[in-house]
């Protein structure tokens, strides 16, 4: 049964209960880039909103708009740039994140490579946003060329930063003569995540126009990386593809996207149409239940939730007169990823 922990104010407050099971048994599209690489007229500690790559080039210059263009090419529909000093310190990142409090976005990345201590700052921010503000945001990061060359270092970074909403790449696609580190490729991956829909698994996804990877991992390294929750690219001889769409916690990217989408949609529905607008009576709670069941059925129809879900809307015993508990029990519908083929021959 859903539990009520009094928050002391009107609102919609989420928890996700994970149920252990045997392994064998549309997104808005906005990316935030924290940018240290820019020239005038772009100024430090300012926020810029771009709706096209051309607009970004016109404002930032062609040379300095590369990360923004990557995000758009990846699939973002809007890119918000928050500038920091050219050589940022921890306080600059904290201030940038605080300045983004009123912005709506799904994914955040940087236009520069950073140390693991900076990733830890973002990890704390992600957790605080979920706990305090019911805001579910992805953070996409990677390493520099030296770390990419040593997969065990990238694997260690993924292990150190486990989170359902951190994507830690440890290598990157190459595009002809253009080679970027996994850290500098993060805006492209951020755009891909922001522009995805719930049907996208990010497993064996072809990277268009990529010609190779900056560092090819051995089969043993790929296996170790996936166990650690690292995001890996590979060239299969024909094209470059992602290996498995996972976050550093090992959670499927698609499942984390589903959580993000449910929070956004259900929160918006209840805040806009129910809180302060409907009586907290049995008939009204039944109506809310029907609305939420209809919503979940759309997820079933989209193939991301399995049939057999349940939705409950109650006023638990002992709850205040204005409190309602919503409990949604859903089964995530995964995609086919591991196929084991046994072939036998008879005489």
């Amino acid at each position: 049964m859903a539990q009520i922990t009094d928050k002391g104010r009107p609102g919609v407050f989420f928890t996700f209960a994970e149920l252990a099971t045997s392994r064998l048994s549309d997104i808005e599209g906005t990316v935030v880039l924290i940018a240290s690489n820019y020239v005038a007229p772009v100024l430090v500690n300012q926020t810029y909103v771009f709706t096209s790559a051309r607009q970004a080039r016109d404002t930032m210059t062609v040379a300095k708009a590369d990360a923004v263009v990557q995000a758009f090419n990846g699939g973002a529909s809007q890119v918000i740039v928050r500038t920091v000093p050219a050589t940022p310190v921890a306080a600059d990142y904290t201030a940038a994140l605080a300045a983004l409090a009123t912005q709506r976005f799904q994914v955040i990345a940087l236009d520069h490579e950073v140390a693991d201590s900076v990733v830890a700052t973002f990890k704390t921010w992600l957790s605080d946003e979920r706990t305090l503000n019911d805001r579910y945001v992805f953070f996409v990061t990677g390493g520099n060329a030296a770390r990419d060359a040593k997969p065990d270092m990238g694997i260690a970074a993924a292990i150190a930063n486990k989170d359902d909403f951190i994507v830690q790449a440890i290598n990157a696609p190459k595009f002809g003569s253009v080679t970027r580190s996994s850290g500098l490729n993060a805006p492209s991956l951020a755009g891909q995540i922001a522009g995805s829909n719930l049907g996208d698994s990010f497993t064996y996804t072809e990277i268009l126009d990529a010609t190779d990877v900056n560092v090819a991992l051995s089969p043993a390294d790929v296996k170790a990386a996936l166990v650690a929750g690292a995001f890996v690219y590979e060239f299969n001889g024909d094209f470059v593809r992602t290996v498995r769409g996972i976050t550093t916690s090992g959670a499927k990217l698609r499942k984390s996207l589903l959580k993000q989408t449910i929070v956004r949609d259900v929160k918006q529905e209840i805040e806009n149409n129910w809180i302060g607008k409907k009586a907290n009576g049995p008939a009204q709670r039944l109506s809310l239940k029907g609305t939420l069941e209809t919503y979940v059925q759309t997820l079933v129809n989209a193939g991301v939730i399995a049939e057999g879900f349940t939705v409950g809307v109650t006023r638990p015993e002992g709850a205040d007169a204005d409190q309602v508990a919503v409990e949604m029990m859903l089964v995530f519908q995964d995609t086919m990823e591991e196929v084991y083929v046994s072939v036998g021959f008879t005489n």
Side-chain angles (χ1 to χ4, degrees):
M1 178 175 292
Q3 300 295 313
I4 287 182
T5 301
D6 198 334
K7 299 289 187 177
R9 57 152 294 163
V12 185
F13 311 102
F14 283 82
T15 58
F16 284 97
E18 297 289 349
L19 302 181
T21 57
S22 170
R23 182 181 176 200
L24 295 179
S25 320
D26 275 323
I27 310 303
E28 291 181 2
T30 300
V31 170
V32 160
L33 290 181
I34 306 296
S36 65
N37 186 20
Y38 53 88
V39 293
V42 176
L43 303 175
V44 69
N45 297 331
Q46 298 297 313
T47 301
Y48 300 85
V49 180
F50 301 111
T51 55
S52 70
R54 180 175 181 176
Q55 182 188 17
R57 292 190 189 101
D58 289 345
T59 302
M60 301 183 70
T61 75
V62 172
K64 299 299 183 181
D66 179 66
V68 179
V69 173
Q70 279 192 69
F72 278 117
N73 289 345
S77 59
Q78 178 175 265
V79 178
I80 300 171
V81 172
R82 179 67 190 185
T83 57
V84 292
T87 307
V89 297
D92 296 316
Y93 294 112
T94 301
L97 292 171
L100 294 166
T102 59
Q103 298 285 353
R104 290 184 59 175
F105 55 94
Q106 290 71 54
V107 190
I108 189 167
L110 302 100
D111 75 343
H112 52 283
E113 300 159 339
V114 294
D116 288 341
S117 59
V118 174
V119 178
T121 296
F122 279 82
K123 179 182 177 182
T124 299
W125 178 80
L126 292 176
S127 178
D128 288 346
E129 285 295 294
R130 293 195 298 266
T131 302
L132 302 176
N133 300 318
D134 283 310
R135 193 181 193 195
Y136 289 68
V137 175
F138 286 93
F139 175 55
V140 181
T141 186
N144 57 24
R147 192 170 82 180
D148 286 354
K150 298 179 179 180
D152 58 316
M153 294 178 66
I155 290 170
I159 292 172
N161 295 301
K162 288 197 172 297
D163 190 279
D164 282 355
F165 287 83
I166 293 179
V167 180
Q168 174 87 51
I170 64 171
N171 67 344
K174 290 176 62 176
F175 298 88
S177 61
V178 178
T179 301
R180 299 185 182 95
S181 66
S182 58
L184 294 182
N185 186 66
S188 177
L189 180 52
Q192 184 182 359
I193 294 170
S196 66
N197 61 58
L198 292 177
D200 296 333
S201 73
F202 298 91
T203 295
Y204 275 23
T205 299
E206 181 179 355
I207 306 302
L208 298 179
D209 299 324
T211 54
D212 204 345
V213 291
N214 67 334
V215 176
L217 274 64
S218 69
D221 284 336
V222 170
K223 185 175 181 179
L226 297 181
V227 169
F231 196 93
V232 178
Y233 296 90
E234 68 179 5
F235 179 61
N236 71 350
D238 295 317
F239 53 84
V240 176
R241 66 188 180 191
T242 62
V243 178
R244 170 169 279 167
I246 53 176
T247 67
T248 54
S249 70
K252 295 293 180 66
L253 235 172
R254 188 165 171 259
K255 186 175 183 180
S256 293
L257 275 166
L258 177 61
K259 289 182 178 182
Q260 185 186 65
T261 301
I262 289 173
V263 168
R264 181 197 65 198
D265 292 348
V266 173
K267 186 179 180 72
Q268 181 174 296
E269 166 63 26
I270 296 177
E271 287 186 344
N272 291 351
N273 300 313
W274 298 84
I275 290 180
K277 301 174 180 66
K278 302 287 175 66
N280 189 8
Q284 290 80 8
R285 291 194 294 270
L286 186 62
S287 180
L288 174 56
K289 177 183 177 182
T291 296
L292 296 178
E293 286 176 336
T294 299
Y295 168 70
V296 176
Q297 186 61 49
T298 65
L299 300 178
V300 173
N301 296 342
V304 293
I305 292 294
E307 294 280 4
F309 65 87
T310 61
V311 176
V313 180
T314 62
R315 179 188 166 196
E317 184 177 352
D320 291 344
D322 61 354
Q323 293 181 329
V324 178
V326 176
E327 185 174 54
M328 304 168 69
M329 298 301 295
L330 314 177
V331 177
F332 173 63
Q333 183 67 66
D334 210 341
T335 58
M336 189 182 300
E337 293 191 0
E338 297 187 17
V339 179
Y340 300 89
V341 179
S342 178
V343 179
F345 291 93
T346 59
N347 294 327

